[in-house]
Amino acid sequence: TIQAAVLLSKLPYLDSYCESRKKAADTYDNAFRKINQIKIPKRSSKSTHVFHQYTIQIKDGKRDELKNFLSSKDIPSVVYYPKPLHLQNAFAFLGYKEGDFPIAERLCEKVLSLPIHTEMDEEQLDYIIESVLEFFK
């Protein structure tokens, strides 16, 4: 009930929260679009995306190196899915093995989620972008 009251008080701001996340994602997209080692999230012109996570793919096996570099600059980044579902212990009973879902396996080695939230200001966003760009120089 307390959580419901808190969330209910935030409901009038939902649209602005969504716009804030979309704006941050647009800024990321524009900054990283021309970096060959980064694949930005694909969007459809027929829908909208609120970006609970902003997840990029890092090519050339440098995902962990970038993550460590960002960490050294106090920028949190997250690998939400380090192991594909079919290789997790909880699903071992299904009998899948490495190589059964090669795309999922490759993505688990490439994806990295950058900070994105409703209270992000331009200074924070610029710092993250500048740091990522510095890594790829």
Side-chain angles (χ1 to χ4, degrees):
T1 53
I2 292 174
Q3 184 179 11
V6 169
L7 293 175
L8 190 59
S9 71
K10 289 184 171 196
L11 195 56
Y13 305 101
L14 184 60
D15 288 339
S16 67
Y17 291 160
C18 292
E19 283 306 311
S20 175
R21 286 177 178 271
K22 285 189 243 179
K23 182 181 175 189
D26 288 343
T27 304
Y28 278 144
D29 282 354
N30 291 330
F32 303 144
R33 181 171 278 116
K34 295 182 181 176
I35 306 298
N36 290 331
Q37 297 93 334
I38 297 175
K39 183 175 181 184
I40 60 174
K42 186 173 182 172
R43 300 199 217 178
S44 172
S45 61
K46 297 176 183 177
S47 67
T48 58
H49 193 308
V50 177
F51 287 94
H52 169 69
Q53 298 173 5
Y54 185 85
T55 303
I56 55 178
Q57 293 180 46
I58 306 301
K59 301 174 186 176
D60 303 327
K62 295 190 175 193
R63 189 264 320 265
D64 293 339
E65 195 177 328
L66 172 60
K67 183 175 181 1
N68 291 335
F69 179 78
L70 294 175
S71 180
S72 76
K73 293 180 157 286
D74 295 322
I75 299 171
S77 61
V78 179
V79 178
Y80 284 105
Y81 311 104
K83 186 184 265 193
L85 289 177
H86 69 284
L87 297 179
Q88 293 183 19
N89 290 339
F91 299 102
F93 71 94
L94 295 172
Y96 292 113
K97 62 188 178 316
E98 193 169 331
D100 285 345
F101 296 95
I103 295 171
E105 292 168 28
R106 276 195 310 273
L107 286 173
C108 286
E109 296 170 356
K110 294 180 178 184
V111 294
L112 183 67
S113 296
L114 299 177
I116 191 164
H117 53 82
T118 57
E119 292 83 22
M120 264 182 116
D121 60 37
E122 283 187 42
E123 185 179 337
Q124 292 170 321
L125 199 53
D126 288 344
Y127 179 66
I128 295 165
I129 289 168
E130 288 169 11
S131 297
V132 171
L133 296 177
E134 178 185 343
F135 177 81
F136 287 108
K137 282 186 181 175

